[in-house]
């Protein structure tokens, strides 16, 4: 077990006109980790959609890809 950490290098969020759907794209540069992930370097990319209901609660549906060096 462990946690990866790093910096967001690029990305964006675009919303539909109604404000109920947002498309999310993020690219993270992984600079390290804790415990068993110590010393890991690489990149992660997150792509997905957030849908908001009438109460403003959002659900995320997407994929995160990892590339380790």
């Amino acid at each position: 077990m462990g946690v990866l950490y790093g910096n967001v290098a690029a990305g964006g969020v675009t919303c539909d006109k109604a404000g109920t759907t947002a498309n999310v794209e993020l690219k993270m540069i992984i600079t390290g980790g804790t415990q068993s992930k110590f010393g890991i370097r690489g990149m992660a990319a997150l792509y997905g959609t957030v849908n908001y209901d009438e109460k403003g609660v959002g659900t995320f549906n997407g994929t995160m890809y990892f590339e380790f060096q």
Side-chain angles (χ1 to χ4, degrees):
M1 299 296 293
V3 175
L4 296 172
Y5 55 82
N7 302 303
V8 174
V13 177
T14 56
C15 296
D16 67 355
K17 290 182 181 182
T20 58
T21 302
N23 293 311
V24 179
E25 293 185 26
L26 293 174
K27 178 182 177 184
M28 184 176 116
I29 303 301
I30 299 168
T31 58
T34 63
Q35 299 174 10
S36 66
K37 309 297 186 233
F38 184 78
I40 289 179
R41 303 286 185 268
M43 183 209 86
L46 173 75
Y47 302 98
T49 303
V50 180
N51 293 303
Y52 294 96
D53 64 16
E54 64 280 352
K55 295 180 182 177
V57 177
T59 57
F60 178 78
N61 183 19
T63 304
M64 188 168 205
Y65 298 96
F66 293 93
E67 180 180 304
F68 299 113
Q69 301 171 349

